[in-house]
Amino acid sequence: MKKLLFLVVLAFFLISCKKENNNPSNLVDVKYINPGELFNCITCFSPSNLNNNGFVIKNENSYKEFADLLRIYPYNPNINCDTATLKPIDFSKYSLIGIFTSFGACDSINKSILINSNRTKITYNIIIKKYSGTCVSILGVSLNFALISKIPDDCTVDFNTKTE
């Protein structure tokens, strides 16, 4: 009888214990942003000063530094880029992530953002599928902006870009 009671209690514990699931899942509430939605003067900003490692912006100061890094001074004297700004983001609610990529005009781009269950790692995946047919050779560039829910300070962001 003691063995049966022990087996029943053991079975209860094994059934009731939940293994932590740390598999990544798609991040919800993602807004992919085009540069025109973020820059108030698109001719005053260029991605040419960025490295290709990706960026994670979690606060207003980093956002201002990012704007200064992207700011250019065009040859047109009628445009004053000193006053050009990026549109405001509420960093108490959101974080901005992105990575510079280049692609052909006929290529397709698939994006996904995954987060693990304990919110310590985000993975931003970008797959550029090269067009196999005949296409005009126009190079496109993108900063792949994504506005996401505020991420914790201890959360890391990995960027994976792949060309197929």
Side-chain angles (χ1 to χ4, degrees):
M1 183 69 167
K2 287 182 182 181
K3 286 183 182 180
L4 180 60
L5 181 60
F6 175 74
L7 290 174
V8 169
V9 172
L10 180 63
F12 175 74
F13 280 120
L14 292 176
I15 293 170
S16 65
C17 289
K18 181 179 161 187
K19 184 178 180 181
E20 183 176 334
N21 179 8
N22 206 14
N23 292 329
S25 60
N26 282 325
L27 187 64
V28 294
D29 297 328
V30 174
K31 181 179 182 195
Y32 297 103
I33 302 174
N34 294 319
E37 297 176 75
L38 199 59
F39 305 140
N40 70 354
C41 178
I42 203 157
T43 58
C44 289
F45 297 98
S46 170
S48 61
N49 292 335
L50 290 177
N51 62 35
N52 210 19
N53 298 331
F55 53 87
V56 179
I57 302 172
K58 298 179 184 180
N59 59 52
E60 192 66 38
N61 287 337
S62 297
Y63 193 49
K64 288 177 183 175
E65 290 172 7
F66 181 71
D68 290 340
L69 181 65
L70 294 177
R71 189 180 318 281
I72 60 172
Y73 295 94
Y75 296 108
N76 184 344
N78 297 326
I79 299 174
N80 181 4
C81 289
D82 288 330
T83 59
T85 60
L86 301 180
K87 294 188 179 167
I89 293 176
D90 184 353
F91 287 102
S92 67
K93 295 180 182 176
Y94 302 102
S95 296
L96 180 68
I97 63 174
I99 186 167
F100 175 80
T101 58
S102 60
F103 50 89
C106 297
D107 298 342
S108 63
I109 299 177
N110 293 314
K111 302 174 187 179
S112 66
I113 300 176
L114 306 174
I115 188 165
N116 65 354
S117 62
N118 55 4
R119 297 185 52 87
T120 57
K121 184 177 179 182
I122 291 176
T123 305
Y124 190 173
N125 296 306
I126 299 173
I127 299 172
I128 300 170
K129 186 167 181 159
K130 294 289 186 186
Y131 182 73
S132 60
T134 304
C135 184
V136 177
S137 295
I138 298 174
L139 180 67
V141 295
S142 177
L143 291 175
N144 300 291
F145 290 119
L147 191 62
I148 60 175
S149 298
K150 176 83 174 164
I151 56 176
D153 289 335
D154 63 343
C155 184
T156 60
V157 179
D158 290 337
F159 297 91
N160 295 323
T161 57
K162 180 180 174 184
T163 303
E164 298 179 337

